[in-house]
Amino acid sequence: MIKYRQILPLAAFASFAFTAGSASAANVITNGDFETGDFTGWTGGGATISSTTPLAGANSALQEQQAGSSLTQSFTPFTDAATTSFIFAASDPGGAGDRSMNVTFGNSTGSNQINLRVVDLDDDGDGDVQAYDGGWKTVLTDVVTFGSTTTFALTINGYGAGFNYDLNVGGNIASGLTDVQGGVLNDFNQLSFVNASLAAGSTFEFDNVSVVPEPGTYALLAGLTGLVFVMLRRRR
């Protein structure tokens, strides 16, 4: 008979291995905190380094209202679950039909992407988050206080036929979203930020950008669980 004290070391081993595997995931974004004082790792234009009132550390990226301005970073395409996170502060876009921020999560062909924007639909001074899927769809309402720092995290859970993602903006969560521009996201290799506001003087500032893939996390957990059961059976 298997005794409880025999199970504990195996469970502890599985927990340690799973934690170690999860901790090994690394940020694929270069210079996501802009502490180099420039845009090393990024392409595009229409942005400056903000060191007077940075959101974190000594520097942030600042995009002022300018048609077509963007900052983009590309990395090796992957199809693992991944969480993109950053902090941002956006000014009020100044009208119900205007936007203060666009952020896109693209695939390797450049044709399919998760496209999100912050707007003030009811012009009440609080920002709403919309996703594009052939048209703009509101997924979170009144979750951004303009002029204040807001946390943002988007987790892609699957690709292709199993595509869906979760969104957390300032602690407000929308889960299982499938809204994507151009069809279905089959992989992920590009992140872009744009200040697309039409309002003069509009600003969008962001910092601490990270994209952390979670390769084989669930497979690792399943494998370790199976290993525990096999070892337990052999001890009977």
Side-chain angles (χ1 to χ4, degrees), residues 115-139:
N115 187 358
L116 304 177
R117 70 179 186 179
V118 174
V119 297
D120 187 2
L121 292 175
D122 50 10
D123 203 14
D124 66 350
D126 293 316
D128 310 300
V129 179
Q130 292 188 312
Y132 190 83
D133 189 2
W136 289 106
K137 170 185 174 182
T138 302
V139 293

Side-chain angles (χ1 to χ4, degrees), residues 42-135:
W42 298 86
T43 60
T48 58
I49 293 293
S50 172
S51 56
T52 304
T53 56
L55 301 183
N59 300 303
S60 298
L62 177 65
Q63 291 180 315
E64 299 181 86
Q65 187 271 329
Q66 180 178 343
S69 66
S70 66
L71 278 180
T72 298
Q73 188 160 151
S74 299
F75 36 86
T76 302
F78 57 80
T79 55
D80 298 308
T83 297
T84 298
S85 62
F86 55 90
I87 56 177
F88 74 95
S91 63
D92 193 322
D98 202 2
R99 72 193 76 177
S100 60
M101 175 197 79
N102 269 89
V103 55
T104 59
F105 310 76
N107 75 347
S108 57
T109 66
S111 58
N112 299 348
Q113 61 186 11
I114 301 170
N115 187 358
L116 304 177
R117 70 179 186 179
V118 174
V119 297
D120 187 2
L121 292 175
D122 50 10
D123 203 14
D124 66 350
D126 293 316
D128 310 300
V129 179
Q130 292 188 312
Y132 190 83
D133 189 2

Side-chain angles (χ1 to χ4, degrees), residues 1-15 228-229 231-233 235-236:
M1 178 180 295
I2 301 300
K3 297 182 179 180
Y4 184 71
R5 65 174 178 271
Q6 292 176 301
I7 297 176
L8 287 177
L10 298 175
F13 167 76
S15 175
V228 168
F229 280 111
M231 294 177 71
L232 287 174
R233 287 179 62 87
R235 289 193 176 200
R236 287 182 180 178

